[in-house]
Amino acid sequence: MKITNNSFLQACRREKADHIPVWFMRQAGRYQPEYREIRKKYTLLDICHNPEVCAQVTHLPVEQLGVDAAILFSDITLPFEAMNIAFDIVENKGPVIFEPIATPEDVSRLLSFDASASLAYVGESIKLICDRIDVPLIGFVGAPFTLASYLIEGGPSKNFSKSKGFMYNHSDAWHQMMNILALNMSAYLRYQVESGCSAVQIFDSWVGNLGREDYLEYVYPHMVTLFSAIADLKVPKIHFGVVTGHILDLMRDCGADVVGLDWRVQVDQSAKMLGPDTAVQGNLEPSAILAPWNVLKSKLDYLLERAPEKGFIFNLGHGIMPQTDGEVLRRITDYVHSYGRN
C-alpha cells in the first residue's frame, strides 16, 4: 500500500494537514444501494469471512465519498468466534449470544486465541484492502465493557441491568472476564496492524451507561491494560464511546491519541478539556444529515468554527443511519475539505 493522502494520520498526530480529514463511522452500510445488493447474497458475517467481498465493501465508500480513511468492514463481536462463544448477528436487532455469561463459572468458557490462526481471514482482507486504497485503513475492536455487556445481556440492552448486576455481585469474575477481553483485543489489534492497518479505533459504545465512579473501578484498569499492550505500535489509537462526556478525560488517560466525541458534547469545550496533546474526532449528529442542506450547512459551520486548528478529524457522533443519502455524505466531505482550517 502506498498512502498518498496522509491528512487523517497527520490530524491524529496533531500535525498540520492541508485540509480537515473526513471519514464516517459505518461508512460502508445499508444506505448504499451497492451494499444492499451484496447483502442479498451474503450475511454480515459472510462478508467478514470472505476477504474479497470484505475488501470490496470496505473500498466502496472511499471511492464514492472521497473520504480520507477507510475502516475495515467487520463487527466488534467477530472475535467471539475464536473465544468459544456461539452467536449470530440478527437483522434489525444486532448480536445475539446463544448462551450468555450468567455465573462466575461461565467466565471459564472464554478462550484466549491467536488471531493469526483463528481470524486469519481478517488479515487476508486487510492485505487486499491495502492493495486497493491510497488512504489509511483503520482497524478496530470492541472495548471490554461493551463486549462484556453483550456476553452477559445476550444482546443489546436498554439498561444493562444484568451486566451491572454481575459487575457488582461477582466483581472478581467481572475483573477476570474484563482482563481476558482486554488482553485478547489488544492482541487482535496488534494482528490488524501487522497485517497493514495504519490506525486503530476502540469502540466502547455502551460504556456511557456507567457513572464515573463505576468506570474508574470496573473498566478503567482494563482499558489501561489494553492500551498499554499496544503502546509500542506506531499507529494512532482512537478511543470512542457514546454518552461519554463525563469520562472523556479518563478515556484519554487510558492511552488514547485521539478521543472520539459523540454529538452531545461541544467540540471546543471537549478539546480544551482534553488538552493540546490529544486529537479529537467527531461529532455531527447523524440525524442532521436528513435535514435540508441549509440547515445541515449551518450545523457543519457551527462545528467547524469550533473545531481545533490542528488535531481534528471530522466524523459523525455515531454511525451513519440506513436512510442517509450517500450524495449528501459526498457533499459533506467536499464541504469539509474546502473549509480549509487545517
Side-chain angles (χ1 to χ4, degrees):
M1 173 181 61
K2 182 178 181 181
I3 298 174
T4 60
N5 178 353
N6 279 302
S7 60
F8 166 75
L9 295 176
Q10 289 168 331
C12 287
R13 295 168 179 150
R14 295 188 52 78
E15 299 169 355
K16 184 176 177 57
D18 61 5
H19 64 266
I20 298 172
V22 178
W23 72 277
F24 300 96
M25 287 183 278
R26 295 193 196 131
Q27 63 188 23
R30 285 204 172 275
Y31 75 94
Q32 298 170 297
E34 298 87 350
Y35 177 82
R36 293 196 296 270
E37 285 299 311
I38 291 171
R39 284 298 305 275
K40 290 178 181 178
K41 301 177 183 178
Y42 303 96
T43 68
L44 190 152
L45 288 175
D46 287 339
I47 296 172
C48 296
H49 292 150
N50 186 318
E52 181 61 42
V53 180
C54 179
Q56 179 186 355
V57 170
T58 301
H59 184 207
L60 192 61
V62 177
E63 287 186 314
Q64 291 179 333
L65 306 180
V67 290
D68 301 283
I71 183 164
L72 175 67
F73 185 87
S74 188
D75 191 84
I76 63 171
T77 56
L78 199 62
F80 289 167
E81 294 180 348
M83 298 187 76
N84 194 39
I85 300 296
F87 75 102
D88 196 7
I89 299 177
V90 179
E91 198 70 28
N92 299 319
K93 183 175 182 179
V96 174
I97 309 301
F98 297 149
E99 295 183 48
I101 301 291
T103 69
E105 291 72 26
D106 288 339
V107 175
S108 64
R109 288 165 29 206
L110 296 175
L111 302 181
S112 294
F113 65 93
D114 177 356
S116 65
S118 301
L119 299 173
Y121 55 85
V122 175
E124 294 175 23
S125 297
I126 291 170
K127 291 170 185 174
L128 279 178
I129 295 162
C130 290
D131 285 341
R132 300 179 185 184
I133 60 175
D134 62 357
V135 297
L137 176 64
I138 305 168
F140 70 90
V141 297
F145 176 84
T146 291
L147 295 177
S149 72
Y150 282 126
L151 290 172
I152 296 171
E153 303 286 342
S157 175
K158 292 183 178 180
N159 56 27
F160 298 87
S161 58
K162 291 180 182 178
S163 300
K164 293 181 182 181
F166 192 100
M167 187 175 74
Y168 295 139
N169 288 287
H170 309 295
S171 61
D172 288 346
W174 171 267
H175 286 295
Q176 179 188 358
M177 175 170 54
M178 292 286 282
N179 186 61
I180 292 169
L181 291 168
L183 293 176
N184 278 277
M185 293 312 108
S186 62
Y188 182 33
L189 284 175
R190 181 175 294 277
Y191 175 61
Q192 292 180 48
V193 171
E194 290 172 348
S195 298
C197 288
S198 299
V200 295
Q201 178 157 308
I202 294 89
F203 285 89
D204 215 347
S205 305
W206 311 133
V207 78
N209 289 277
L210 294 181
R212 188 177 174 92
E213 181 181 1
D214 282 344
Y215 183 86
L216 274 168
E217 181 170 353
Y218 296 105
V219 176
Y220 180 78
H222 305 289
M223 294 309 302
V224 171
T225 295
L226 192 161
F227 276 99
S228 296
I230 59 171
D232 62 308
L233 297 178
K234 305 302 183 184
V235 300
K237 302 159 188 74
I238 309 167
H239 197 180
F240 172 76
V242 181
V243 200
T244 49
H246 60 302
I247 55 171
L248 289 177
D249 59 327
L250 300 178
M251 294 174 69
R252 171 202 62 200
D253 292 346
C254 294
D257 303 302
V258 185
V259 173
L261 310 176
D262 81 352
W263 68 93
R264 298 169 181 85
V265 298
Q266 292 277 354
V267 66
D268 51 347
Q269 295 174 6
S270 299
K272 183 178 180 180
M273 182 272 293
L274 289 167
D277 297 326
T278 305
V280 293
Q281 175 178 280
N283 66 332
L284 182 72
E285 183 176 357
S287 60
I289 300 173
L290 307 179
W293 178 254
N294 64 313
V295 175
L296 174 54
K297 180 178 178 298
S298 70
K299 291 183 177 295
L300 290 170
D301 289 340
Y302 184 88
L303 169 59
L304 296 172
E305 287 167 5
R306 288 161 178 77
E309 292 283 347
K310 291 193 297 183
F312 174 65
I313 302 135
F314 179 89
N315 207 312
L316 304 182
H318 206 185
I320 294 172
M321 298 183 296
Q323 62 268 46
T324 299
D325 184 343
E327 291 298 322
V328 177
L329 291 173
R330 178 71 199 216
R331 191 173 183 183
I332 290 171
T333 303
D334 292 343
Y335 186 78
V336 175
H337 283 170
S338 67
Y339 199 80
R341 289 287 305 277
N342 278 16

